Amino acid sequence: MQFKRVARVATLTLMLFSVVGIGALQAGVRFDKKGPAIKVNDDRDWFSHKCDDKYYTENWTTMLRSDQGHILYVTFLKSNIGVMSGSSIVSASISYPGKPAEKSVFREFQHSLGDFKEQKTRGRISIKKHYLTLTDRRKLKLHVEEGDLTIDVDITSFMDGVRFHSGKFFLDKGHEKWVQTFVHVPWGKFEGTMKLGKQTVKFKGDAFVDHLRQNVLGTDYATHWWSARMFSDNYAIAFFNFKSPKSLGSKRIHRILVMNKEEVLAQSNVLQFSADKPVNDPEGHRYATRYKFSFMGEKVSVKGTFVGKRLHNRDAMLERMNAVQRGVVKMMAGEPINYRQDGTASVTIQEEGKEPVQIKAPVSMESLVLIGE
């Protein structure tokens, strides 16, 4: 059980690492720019990929924001970290409208690696009774069923999934250490039900689904992550930023996606970004509550500010472990705490040949601190 905990934390610290792009950080580190910047995923990209490396994890994360204000992160993962036979895990972070972080709910269901199954003719990956099914590249079904939690959600994406060029970047000269990412639902609408204990909720809203595979640990290439997803009436923005460790130059690395309801207008690793207005967590780290950013592309330009209004989820993984487990995890994954905020977006978007549009919308912000300063 202890080593399964280690495997989970080392992987969960990387849940946000779903859409990132790296340029040259130092000699021998390279982002693989094969193919166009907005590359439509192949059908086979949805499924797991074979890898026998020592540290290998692969996960699929669904982010849901309901019209009522629920915010959910549901992750399916498989990993060989820490356990001879590997493991598969389904986890869910659930926040309720207007409720503070201490009222959020976390569920985790651990299983063996052998419980991870695929049915390629049906587009399905499953772990026991839990499953994700992707059909026609735009229809996704999420089902979680274990313990006191049941989630049934249908998602319809506005566009096909994409990756940034090949989706892979390398961390060494020999290209033996790497991370690869895919976005399967850049922006979609969902509808469904969630039952937790005796309470059943019917909800609908916006969705984002991504997928990551890697043969490295999170602290090999990042100390902090800042990410956000904004859904408005006609546009959506997702961006991800991380700071590399000193061994990789302490650089800020970026990725942004901008969508309307027809297509991904831009996907780039060129972004002006800053995170400030920090708040001190007396039992953890300092985390930013304001993100400012700007981007100029061929089809669209964006400038905006995201301001966190409410900490709706604080996921301090080490606090759920005993002393022995904490010691092992600190060596592998630092001291990760994920601060999730419900915020307000003020954004100006201008598509090529059109007038600029001013947007006020809710935004989901995350500040993941792996190694505090």
Side-chain angles (χ1 to χ4, degrees), residues 42-60:
D42 298 327
D43 290 339
R44 63 180 178 271
D45 292 333
W46 169 246
F47 297 101
S48 64
H49 301 70
K50 181 176 175 57
C51 181
D52 296 322
D53 292 344
K54 182 178 180 181
Y55 298 123
Y56 183 69
T57 59
E58 189 161 6
N59 67 68
W60 296 254

Side-chain angles (χ1 to χ4, degrees), residues 112-140:
S112 70
L113 187 57
D115 290 322
F116 181 92
K117 306 289 186 182
E118 294 183 329
Q119 295 174 281
K120 294 190 176 181
T121 57
R122 301 180 63 185
R124 175 171 292 186
I125 62 173
S126 63
I127 300 173
K128 289 289 190 176
K129 292 183 178 180
H130 317 281
Y131 62 82
L132 280 166
T133 302
L134 180 66
T135 56
D136 300 324
R137 297 190 182 183
R138 298 194 183 190
K139 301 288 186 180
L140 192 143

